[in-house]
């Protein structure tokens, strides 16, 4: 009998805002300094919700948001701030 596997997708496991917050915090802590894990986490959180509504809320097209948050994307700081705020989150810097 052959075993079959499916690709694990974190977006399928982000059910609450608290799940999303904890996931984003963990990715921010582990980010190598280039923002890649933060971008990936925002992509996962956006996909877990309603990407079209999020794009509309921040004034982007859905396709533009997908591209900005994609693996090859390079979102501006403004886009990151708009996404986090639209998700009901705040960016904080602490010592």
């Amino acid at each position: 009998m052959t075993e079959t596997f499916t690709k694990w997708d974190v977006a399928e496991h982000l059910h609450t805002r608290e799940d999303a917050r904890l996931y984003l915090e963990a990715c921010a802590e582990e980010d190598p300094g280039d923002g890649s894990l933060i971008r990936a986490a925002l992509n996962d959180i956006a996909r877990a919700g309603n990407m079209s509504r999020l794009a509309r809320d921040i004034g982007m097209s859905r396709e533009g948001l997908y591209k900005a948050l994609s693996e090859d994307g390079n979102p501006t700081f403004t886009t990151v701030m708009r996404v986090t705020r639209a998700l009901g989150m705040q960016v904080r810097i602490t010592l």
Side-chain angles (χ1 to χ4, degrees):
M1 177 176 230
T2 303
E3 291 186 51
T4 59
F5 298 95
T6 58
K7 185 175 179 182
W8 189 80
D9 186 357
V10 70
E12 296 174 6
H13 303 279
L14 298 173
H15 302 294
T16 66
R17 287 177 54 176
E18 182 69 3
D19 293 342
R21 182 188 67 80
L22 291 170
Y23 176 58
L24 185 57
E25 279 183 0
C27 289
E29 289 174 11
E30 296 297 322
D31 190 85
D34 62 1
S36 60
L37 286 180
I38 295 169
R39 182 214 31 84
L42 289 174
N43 183 30
D44 294 334
I45 293 166
R47 289 184 307 104
N50 185 326
M51 184 72 83
S52 295
R53 185 178 67 222
L54 180 61
R56 199 170 35 253
D57 289 349
I58 66 170
M60 289 183 76
S61 69
R62 185 176 66 79
E63 295 80 12
L65 185 57
Y66 268 115
K67 183 177 178 181
L69 298 179
S70 72
E71 188 172 337
D72 296 325
N74 188 18
T76 64
F77 189 70
T78 301
T79 298
V80 170
M81 292 301 294
R82 286 181 179 166
V83 168
T84 55
R85 286 187 178 154
L87 292 171
M89 298 180 188
Q90 295 178 356
V91 174
R92 294 189 180 192
I93 300 168
T94 61
L95 293 176

